[in-house]
Amino acid sequence: MTKQKSTSTGRRRGRPPGSGSTRNTILEAARRQFATEGFTTTTIRSIATDADVDASQVMQFFGSKDALFAAVMSIPPMVLALFDTAFEGPDVCLGERVVRAYLQAWEGTPEESEPLMVMLRGAIVNDTASKQLADFIQSRLLDGARERIADDSESALRAGLASSMLVGLITSRRIIGVPLLAEADPEAVIRLVGPAIQEILAPGTANRAS
């Protein structure tokens, strides 16, 4: 009787092959990159190199650096959509749309807002988390500012000013709990803060806001 050969070929030890393991490897590499380099400096290519995969695979799994950061930080896709759509539409209402988007993101349902609140609380006590949050928020505003302000250095400054105002607003309402601000109706806050954000990101249009 012929002895049957073993089907075992000495499977390589370590992480098993498959899309799930590749996705996790990319997430681990992205987590390291965002923590050490920050959101702005980190690129899809650098993450791919760290994960030992092709950049096209990173895009296949996540679609964009923003979406990859959101996955690392457990930010729901609907929150990313709020940030992305804030700059869509006429400049005349830009400030109000941006403030409303950020309030909705941090003050929405627990499913939407809690991951961002975790980031915000961590940023207060941890330098790395602070840089991650600041880079992410500023990058969202910088993209919109660059579409309206030709000078790169000025658009960066304006994005930084707007991000500091918005983070300060959320921190005062949700973390510190400044009474009059925390208890204020969101629409009242939007009406008052919107023109200031608009003048920073789209100068010369605030006087036309309704």
Side-chain angles (χ1 to χ4, degrees):
M1 183 176 179
T2 303
K3 189 174 183 180
Q4 188 176 10
K5 291 184 180 180
S6 171
T7 57
S8 174
T9 58
R11 176 181 292 178
R12 180 168 54 92
R13 293 184 178 182
R15 181 181 283 109
S19 60
S21 62
T22 301
R23 186 179 190 279
N24 290 337
T25 300
I26 294 170
L27 281 172
E28 291 168 7
R31 189 173 290 109
R32 288 192 297 270
Q33 289 268 325
F34 287 134
T36 58
E37 303 298 329
F39 179 84
T40 302
T41 303
T42 298
T43 65
I44 290 293
R45 187 172 298 277
S46 67
I47 292 170
T49 299
D50 193 7
D52 195 24
V53 300
D54 192 86
S56 63
Q57 287 182 280
V58 180
M59 295 299 291
Q60 177 184 348
F61 280 108
F62 298 99
S64 68
K65 186 173 76 169
D66 287 343
L68 178 51
F69 182 85
V72 168
M73 305 305 295
S74 300
I75 300 174
M78 64 277 288
V79 172
L80 271 188
L82 279 174
F83 295 156
D84 292 340
T85 57
F87 285 93
E88 297 177 359
D91 284 355
V92 68
C93 298
L94 175 67
E96 290 187 1
R97 290 199 308 272
V98 170
V99 178
R100 179 173 285 106
Y102 277 73
L103 285 181
Q104 287 178 349
W106 263 276
E107 300 183 359
T109 65
E111 178 188 2
E112 297 175 358
S113 64
E114 192 53 33
L116 289 171
M117 287 305 301
V118 170
M119 288 177 64
L120 186 56
R121 295 187 192 101
I124 294 174
V125 298
N126 183 277
D127 289 341
T128 297
S130 177
K131 180 173 173 42
Q132 287 179 322
L133 179 62
D135 277 359
F136 178 67
I137 292 176
Q138 184 165 296
S139 73
R140 314 305 321 127
L141 297 171
L142 185 56
D143 287 345
R146 280 175 173 160
E147 296 176 1
R148 294 162 174 82
I149 301 166
D151 187 284
D152 284 346
S153 60
E154 182 176 347
S155 63
L157 175 59
R158 287 175 178 271
L161 288 172
S163 64
S164 68
M165 291 177 65
L166 291 167
V167 172
L169 174 62
I170 299 299
T171 301
S172 296
R173 280 173 66 86
R174 299 295 310 276
I175 301 293
I176 300 175
V178 177
L180 291 177
L181 187 56
E183 296 166 7
D185 180 74
E187 288 301 317
V189 174
I190 292 167
R191 186 174 66 253
L192 292 172
V193 181
I197 294 296
Q198 182 163 332
E199 183 60 26
I200 291 173
L201 297 179
T205 62
N207 63 333
R208 301 204 308 269
S210 55

